[in-house]
């Protein structure tokens, strides 16, 4: 019974080795010359201007959610396009309904001003 779990255990050890091993090797073999300037926080090459806990506009999150939504749409459209000829009219109608609902949602968000940036 235990030999059935041997591939899983080997896979876990290999995953840990390939995940932690390169970081450990880099830490042990890499040069380490820390100074105050290297340890300062920066973003895009500029020093931080404000505290990291600042207010963000809700519209930023709405745009991010819309991006994820339409990114997932593309993830569904590619496999459908590959097998579309095998699915026939049923697959075409189902995907048309899916795309129609996404377009209706997009138009709704557009009309409500979720994409307007002030």
């Amino acid at each position: 019974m235990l030999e059935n779990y041997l591939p899983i255990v080997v896979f876990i050890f290999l995953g840990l080795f390939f995940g932690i091993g390169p970081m450990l090797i880099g830490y042990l073999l890499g040069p380490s010359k820390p100074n105050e300037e290297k340890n300062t926080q920066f973003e895009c090459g500029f020093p931080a201007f404000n505290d990291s806990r600042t207010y963000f506009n809700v519209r930023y999150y709405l745009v991010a959610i819309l991006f994820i939504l339409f990114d997932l749409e593309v993830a569904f459209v590619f496999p459908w396009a590959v097998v579309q000829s095998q699915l026939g009219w049923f697959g075409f109608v189902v995907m048309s309904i899916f795309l129609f609902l996404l377009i209706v949602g997009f138009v709704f968000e557009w009309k409500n001003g979720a994409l307007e940036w002030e």
Side-chain angles (χ1 to χ4, degrees):
M1 179 80 157
L2 290 178
E3 65 264 1
N4 293 336
Y5 292 107
L6 181 63
I8 296 172
V9 172
V10 169
F11 184 73
I12 289 172
F13 281 126
L14 284 174
L16 289 173
F17 173 74
F18 284 112
I20 296 174
M23 291 189 295
L24 186 62
I25 291 170
Y27 177 76
L28 293 175
L29 299 179
S32 177
K33 297 178 183 175
N35 61 30
E36 186 176 334
E37 187 174 345
K38 282 185 182 179
N39 291 332
T40 59
Q41 297 177 357
F42 67 93
E43 181 177 335
C44 300
F46 297 104
F49 296 115
N50 294 331
D51 186 25
S52 63
R53 293 175 289 279
T54 58
Y55 171 76
F56 282 99
N57 194 344
V58 175
R59 292 179 191 263
Y60 170 77
Y61 296 108
L62 289 175
V63 170
I65 288 171
L66 285 175
F67 172 76
I68 291 172
L69 176 72
F70 288 104
D71 189 42
L72 287 176
E73 172 191 350
V74 171
F76 285 125
V77 170
F78 277 133
W80 169 78
V82 170
V83 296
Q84 195 272 335
S85 62
Q86 298 167 351
L87 295 176
W89 281 104
F90 176 75
F92 180 75
V93 170
V94 169
M95 186 53 77
S96 297
I97 293 170
F98 174 70
L99 292 174
F100 175 74
L101 291 174
L102 284 173
I103 290 171
V104 167
F106 179 70
V107 170
F108 176 77
E109 292 291 333
W110 192 351
K111 293 294 183 184
N112 284 335
L115 301 176
E116 300 289 329
W117 202 265
E118 297 173 1

